[in-house]
């Protein structure tokens, strides 16, 4: 494991190191880029993470308009390499979606997607799309109570101010960030107006709207923006219309019609409600999968039977836990907003509880293992198959594998990691071994399937590799193994699957 | 309001009264009926409620076999009229499904559906389908804690014993009742075997299975049995096969394939999980609809926007509360079974809590009204539109309107009731006024839409009737009113809709 020096930003894709710039001046770069695109509307995408970098790509490949697109992020160790990477011709997101290289090639050809770190760019923007993070801080996940979290709007406000301090008076600021309901109306608009007033500019032409993305990193990454339903609203009718006009140029709205809601509180609520629905439905299954284990029932066959009903299609399956950037925090954003932006005295208790239950899932899975090893896995050799929180995607943000991994470290187990989609586990600063053959040269006491990647499903090679191991405990936390695979593995190993009683 | 005398059973459909029989002897009637059907297999349906009476009808109209069908229920004031009604040619369930009179006419023509109260019938049965109730007793709904409920298996066991004391040794007992998971295997089969052993009969030919119904009273009543997915299992393989053979004769399994599960614990769990999923998703929306009211958001437009996503189609809407026989108790059956049949030390806390939240919904809706009337509705004239718990159906079992109605009675309000589908509110022993014209001759302080019947939706006549009233509070607990209707009503009345902030 290596640690980055603070003055360097290193690309996990190319491993190339970039010196951070001494100051934020990139005026020359911006002006040169814009000189290639006279007369085009300028769209600035603020934030070059999983959403912003691809949103920029989609806008640069807009359906009915030619935009000059500039992505902006901070010149920090975590982000500066993305800026350099875009400008050097290497897209900063690894994804299985074949449209990404196609779209990116197109922007290279058209030279219409630039990246920078200089807030001067806002002065040139007709539209700013806000795709920065708004985080929830939680206490240590294993022990915390549902209430133990905080929302700090300061970094978000700072980012909005950097727009307001530079932008034109008639700009459209389209917030795509998942924010606490009330934010566009009670925070973003007032803040931008304040900035304009300070600069002696009128506020009546300012347009602020909210339309949340439903981006899914993975094989349909681009489609999850371009070919997907959108909900939108503005802080006033002019703003709403401006958002609609912009979205129509970017999204296939004939096939995926836009939904206009009454106000931005509603669109902001829709997003966090959507994710709370999902998080809560996962949390709901936790108790039932334990019940299934007690009653000798296979929860997977039960859930599949129930899903035959259209009214029950969305019932979830158990697993190791819940990860990703949304489901782990959005219910908390909502509850925080209810109390802090709308003065309610009641939290969203159930939704908070859902997050809490989900956060505890990896610990629950691990506790079962402790019962199998007399209380501790000290010195046990453990192979974890999967680091990403999502199948077939290299996204490690808030992956439940982390909570599980942390317990293994606490116990002083000897850990080997594999994930075909994760080169570098950013949060842990670990480079991931991609070579399963190499990994299986070693022997393990415990092999845990922690992510449901396709590579681990119906893979006779993996099964035969495991069968070549001396006796081990095979712990399938996702329900990846088929009945036939379990039968074959059980000849030599002990096999356990979360949510399945009889094997 | 009238009270029934205990020796009489009165049909709420025809108002006809039947003297209860002096003893349980109907041997002659059964033998005479069976003499009309030599060589046919005899199917006995135990319980003639919302499920059993229609299940009997479907079996008597089986797709690939001619059965002689006998329904059996208790000769009690609540049930005896159903037995008489079936034999007299009046089907004992009012439903909007046009297939019901068709199917019933067919059984009248074929004379193959008889009803009785004599357990002697079990001695003639090849198959017994168990469609009796298994109830949960809750404490007073408004104040009780989630744990305040009990499950008493005694009446259910008694019914099973009455089969075991009379049946042939090779009978198939198919339990359709929603039971605590574990019941078929740990209660029904042991009990039947015990009876057979007492009678000196072998137990190895006995077949016991479980396949839960998904009956929906309403316009697709018959289809909800005949053209719908089924999950099934048996207590051993012979039983499972026998259940499958029987179901194939009754259900359109080519279009709606059967799902065979590993054991009856699994099928029993599937049913209560299915309903717990539903109940919990309604409970989840309670907090969010309050948040929407606080934030000036229309939760209906938000939910409709979210439902565009296939993964979120099952997100629910707020309302007055949750009713019916299933969602109000099944999560509790499951939690009870977890502890009492499988010895778990952990309840299904979230599922119990879901029921608890739902039970409190009518009270919450009512509390809002109290804030509008200085704490009490004493002497206020109130019209409730809807008594059934479900749209377009006359089913009052555990309707949330009851909790709402109870509060009105506590406050000494003057209550008028309307429901186009409910002639008689059995639980309250009230005959319901069907004449909306007549009801609107009176004036009201408060008009509450309590059920989402079609008759109340997009009904200009209803709106004009309300507009002719002097100023009243219109309280839409279901979200039935359209924006246009609200606009028009608001000219004269105060309009409130649960889950909608701005109107």
């Amino acid at each position: 494991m290596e640690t980055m020096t603070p003055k360097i930003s290193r690309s996990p894709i190319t491993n190339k190191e970039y010196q951070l710039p001494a100051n934020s001046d990139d005026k020359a770069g911006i002006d040169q880029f814009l000189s290639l695109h006279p007369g085009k509307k300028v769209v600035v995408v603020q934030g070059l993470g999983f959403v912003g970098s691809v949103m920029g790509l989609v806008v640069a490949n807009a359906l009915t308009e030619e935009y000059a697109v500039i992505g902006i992020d901070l010149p920090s160790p975590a982000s500066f390499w993305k800026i350099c990477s875009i400008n050097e011709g290497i897209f900063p997101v690894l994804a299985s979606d074949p449209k990404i290289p196609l779209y990116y090639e197109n922007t290279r050809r058209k030279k219409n997607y630039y990246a920078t770190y200089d807030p001067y760019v806002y002065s040139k923007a007709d539209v700013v799309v806000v795709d920065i993070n708004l985080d929830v801080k939680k206490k240590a996940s294993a022990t915390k109570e549902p209430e133990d979290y905080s929302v700090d709007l300061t970094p978000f406000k700072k980012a909005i101010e950097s727009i307001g301090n530079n932008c034109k008076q008639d700009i459209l600021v389209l917030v795509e960030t998942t924010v606490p309901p009330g934010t566009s109306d009670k925070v973003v608009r007032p803040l931008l107006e304040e900035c304009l007033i300070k600069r002696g500019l009128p506020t009546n032409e300012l347009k602020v709207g909210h339309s949340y993305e439903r981006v899914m990193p993975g094989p349909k990454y681009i489609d999850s923006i371009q070919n997907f339903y959108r909900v939108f609203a503005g802080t006033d009718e002019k703003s709403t219309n401006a958002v609609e006009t912009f979205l129509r140029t970017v999204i296939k709205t004939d096939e995926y019609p836009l939904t206009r809601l009454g106000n931005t509180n509603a669109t902001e609520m829709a997003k966090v409600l959507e994710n709370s629905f999902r998080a809560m439905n996962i949390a709901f299954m936790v108790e039932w999968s334990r019940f299934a284990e007690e009653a000798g029932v296979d929860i997977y066959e039960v859930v599949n039977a129930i899903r035959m009903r259209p009214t029950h299609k969305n019932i979830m399956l158990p697993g190791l836990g819940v990860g990703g950037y949304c489901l782990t925090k959005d219910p908390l954003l909502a509850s925080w907003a209810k109390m802090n932006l709308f003065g309610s005295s009641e939290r969203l208790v159930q939704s908070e509880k859902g997050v809490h239950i989900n956060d505890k899932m990896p610990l629950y899975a691990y506790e079962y293992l402790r019962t199998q090893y007399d209380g501790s896995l000290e010195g046990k050799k453990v192979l974890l198959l999967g680091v990403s929180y999502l199948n077939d995607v290299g996204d490690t943000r808030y992956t439940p594998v982390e909570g599980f991994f942390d317990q293994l470290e606490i116990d002083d187990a000897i850990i080997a990691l594999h994930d075909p989609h994760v080169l570098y586990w950013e949060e842990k600063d670990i480079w991931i071994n991609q070579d399963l053959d190499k990994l299986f040269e070693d022997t393990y006491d415990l092999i845990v399937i922690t992510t449901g990647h396709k590579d681990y499903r119906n893979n006779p090679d993996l099964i035969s590799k495991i069968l070549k191991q001396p006796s081990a405990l095979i712990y399938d936390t996702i329900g990846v193994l088929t009945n036939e695979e379990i039968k074959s593995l059980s000849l030599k190993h002990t096999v356990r699957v979360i949510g399945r009683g009889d094997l």
Side-chain angles (χ1 to χ4, degrees), chain A:
Chain A
M1 300 180 200
E2 305 164 55
T3 322
M4 283 182 181
T5 55
K7 290 290 169 204
I8 294 287
S9 176
R10 186 164 65 163
S11 163
I13 296 174
T14 61
N15 221 353
K16 184 171 167 184
E17 292 187 344
Y18 300 92
Q19 197 79 31
L20 300 192
N23 60 53
S24 71
D25 182 8
D26 185 36
K27 192 169 177 297
I30 293 166
D31 286 342
Q32 200 207 328
F33 169 74
L34 290 177
S35 71
L36 302 175
H37 304 283
K40 285 187 193 165
K41 281 199 177 150
V42 177
V43 178
V44 171
V45 178
Q46 188 186 46
L48 291 172
F50 275 85
V51 177
S53 58
V54 182
M55 182 66 188
L57 201 54
V58 170
V59 176
N61 287 274
L63 304 165
T64 60
E65 177 127 9
E66 295 283 335
Y67 292 115
V69 179
I70 307 181
I72 177 168
D73 211 323
L74 300 175
S76 64
S79 299
F80 184 60
W81 69 268
K82 297 177 196 167
I83 296 165
C84 304
S85 200
I86 286 178
N87 293 337
E88 286 177 7
I90 292 164
F91 195 67
V93 173
L94 277 188
S96 52
D97 184 356
K99 281 191 179 174
I100 286 196
L102 280 174
Y103 275 47
Y104 188 57
E105 267 318 298
N106 201 35
T107 67
R108 295 297 295 169
R109 202 173 41 74
K110 289 184 169 179
K111 296 191 173 62
N112 68 342
Y113 189 10
Y114 181 72
T116 187
Y117 47 89
D118 187 347
Y120 162 75
V121 77
Y122 300 120
S123 68
K124 302 294 179 184
D126 297 292
V127 179
V128 176
V129 181
V130 178
D131 281 330
I132 55 175
N133 284 359
L134 198 161
D135 295 330
V136 171
K137 275 188 201 107
K138 299 182 193 177
K139 303 282 165 68
S141 66
T143 54
K144 70 159 186 21
E145 283 307 298
E147 303 80 37
D148 276 356
Y149 68 90
S150 61
V151 177
D152 178 10
L153 288 186
T154 314
F156 180 81
K157 284 180 174 172
K158 233 181 115 180
I160 298 299
E161 275 169 340
S162 77
I163 302 171
N165 291 334
N166 293 282
C167 69
K168 295 189 268 189
Q169 65 198 45
D170 64 347
I171 197 165
L172 164 63
V173 175
L174 172 57
V175 179
E176 288 196 325
T177 300
T178 305
V179 292
T183 299
S184 295
D185 194 49
K186 291 170 185 280
V187 178
V188 178
R189 178 148 200 131
L191 213 51
L192 290 172
E193 288 188 354
E194 206 180 286
C195 293
L196 290 177
I197 289 165
K198 268 189 200 156
R199 292 165 58 204
L201 295 170
T203 61
N204 61 321
E205 290 176 74
L206 172 69
K207 296 176 288 281
V208 176
H210 180 262
S211 173
Y212 60 95
E213 41 77 23
R214 283 151 161 170
V215 169
M216 260 298 165
K220 304 223 155 203
Y221 212 146
I222 295 278
D223 282 350
S224 72
I225 296 176
Q226 203 172 47
N227 292 325
F228 213 65
Y229 304 104
R230 274 276 183 155
V231 172
F232 74 99
T235 49
D236 55 18
E237 196 167 351
K238 205 192 325 167
S239 301
T240 312
N241 293 337
V243 173
E244 179 165 0
T245 303
F246 174 67
L247 290 178
R248 285 198 183 285
T249 64
V250 170
I251 294 170
K252 274 218 179 101
T253 53
D254 47 341
E255 279 176 57
Y256 298 89
L258 299 171
T259 307
R260 176 190 281 239
L261 296 190
N263 53 49
T264 50
N265 292 351
T267 59
E268 292 162 342
M269 190 182 289
K271 170 67 180 227
V272 288
L273 174 51
E274 218 173 276
N275 285 334
S276 299
F277 167 76
R278 208 80 178 146
M280 183 270 316
N281 270 290
I282 295 169
F284 167 74
M285 284 308 294
V286 171
E287 289 185 337
W288 284 86
S289 67
R290 291 180 205 175
F291 186 16
E293 289 169 15
E294 289 164 354
V297 165
D298 176 355
I299 199 80
Y300 290 89
E301 74 166 19
V302 167
V303 165
N304 287 334
I306 292 174
R307 282 184 177 163
M308 302 283 271
R309 299 189 67 174
T311 48
H312 292 69
K313 278 248 180 289
N314 299 156
I315 191 167
M316 305 290 286
L317 281 162
L320 179 66
V322 173
Y325 186 64
C326 301
L327 272 53
T328 51
K329 72 166 196 348
D330 288 0
L332 307 179
L333 282 184
S335 191
W336 181 88
K338 188 170 189 283
M339 290 186 296
N340 292 283
L341 297 181
F342 295 98
S344 173
S345 58
E346 290 176 322
R347 327 174 74 91
L348 292 167
V349 177
Q350 281 172 287
S351 299
E352 287 187 351
K353 200 148 227 158
V355 174
H356 187 50
I357 290 167
N358 293 340
D359 284 347
K360 280 188 163 177
M361 282 170 74
L363 182 67
Y364 167 75
Y366 194 81
E367 285 303 339
Y368 165 77
L369 288 181
R370 285 210 174 102
T371 67
Q372 301 299 298
Y373 290 99
D374 291 330
S376 168
L377 277 79
E378 190 180 339
K380 299 292 172 201
K381 295 178 85 172
V382 183
L383 172 62
L384 301 191
L385 295 174
V387 169
S388 170
Y389 79 92
L390 195 62
N391 306 354
D392 311 317
V393 169
D395 191 347
T396 58
R397 292 174 299 166
Y398 302 100
T399 174
V401 183
E402 190 171 345
F404 196 85
F405 177 90
D406 288 346
Q407 295 301 316
L408 285 168
E409 288 213 311
I410 289 169
D411 273 6
D412 274 326
I414 302 153
I415 315 165
L417 297 171
H418 176 262
D419 195 304
H421 300 278
V422 180
L423 290 168
Y424 172 67
W425 189 357
E426 202 178 315
E427 293 79 3
K428 292 278 164 193
D429 191 19
I430 300 176
W431 293 84
I432 303 293
N433 197 331
Q434 306 276 306
D435 189 343
L436 215 49
D437 290 332
K438 197 99 190 164
L439 280 163
F440 270 102
E441 284 173 11
D442 212 338
T443 61
Y444 301 98
D445 299 295
L446 171 64
I447 298 169
V448 191
I449 305 175
T450 34
T451 311
H453 292 313
K454 257 193 218 121
D455 299 57
Y456 305 143
R457 292 180 193 269
N458 302 303
N459 182 343
D461 181 53
L462 176 63
I463 300 298
S464 87
K465 276 192 176 70
I466 298 177
L467 280 171
K468 276 180 203 138
Q469 291 270 309
S471 173
L473 174 57
I474 315 298
Y475 191 34
D476 178 358
T477 67
I478 312 289
V480 157
L481 299 172
T482 64
N483 286 338
E484 291 62 40
E485 288 172 336
I486 290 168
K487 206 175 281 174
S488 128
L489 290 173
S490 297
L491 297 173
K492 198 160 178 190
H493 305 291
T494 305
V495 184
R496 290 285 172 272
V497 182
I498 286 185
R500 293 191 61 172
D502 297 328
L503 290 176

